[in-house]
Amino acid sequence: MSVARRRGGAGLQFYTDAGVWDWTPERLLLPSAAKHAMAGLEIPAGHNPYERENEAFIHALRTGDRSRILSDYADACRTQEITTAALASADSGLPVQLQPSKHLSH
């Protein structure tokens, strides 16, 4: 992850195997090389991500089509692990070592 300054503003870039996720306060740009239904999509600020997540889940339940679901339980567990480590680091002021994950779906 990197923090990028853009014309007086700020943004984040997340480097992944599927490409760079580029976030600014105005929008999120998903990598076009990603292998999922939202590849290359630009999501404007103000969009409720939980609404899209719920729509994808309900669509999968109704149709059996899981292509709109962007992460599985292994990804969710790793996200929780990273979030917890970041909070522990912020509280202690020290780096927290994470073990490489062997169970990511991507």
Side-chain angles (χ1 to χ4, degrees), residues 64-79:
D65 174 15
R66 297 179 54 180
S67 66
R68 296 182 190 176
I69 296 177
L70 304 181
S71 62
D72 60 15
Y73 288 118
D75 292 334
C77 289
R78 184 64 172 173
T79 299

Side-chain angles (χ1 to χ4, degrees), residues 22-69:
D22 190 16
W23 176 87
T24 69
E26 293 81 34
R27 56 101 180 110
L28 171 65
L29 180 60
L30 304 177
S32 57
K35 296 179 182 177
H36 56 69
M38 294 177 58
L41 186 64
E42 184 171 326
I43 302 170
H47 173 78
N48 183 341
Y50 299 113
E51 184 177 314
R52 184 170 295 213
E53 180 180 60
N54 288 330
E55 288 171 355
F57 180 70
I58 292 168
H59 173 79
L61 288 175
R62 288 181 176 159
T63 67
D65 174 15
R66 297 179 54 180
S67 66
R68 296 182 190 176
I69 296 177

Side-chain angles (χ1 to χ4, degrees), residues 3-15:
V3 176
R5 303 265 179 227
R6 295 193 174 98
R7 295 184 197 111
L12 296 174
Q13 293 178 323
F14 301 91
Y15 295 86

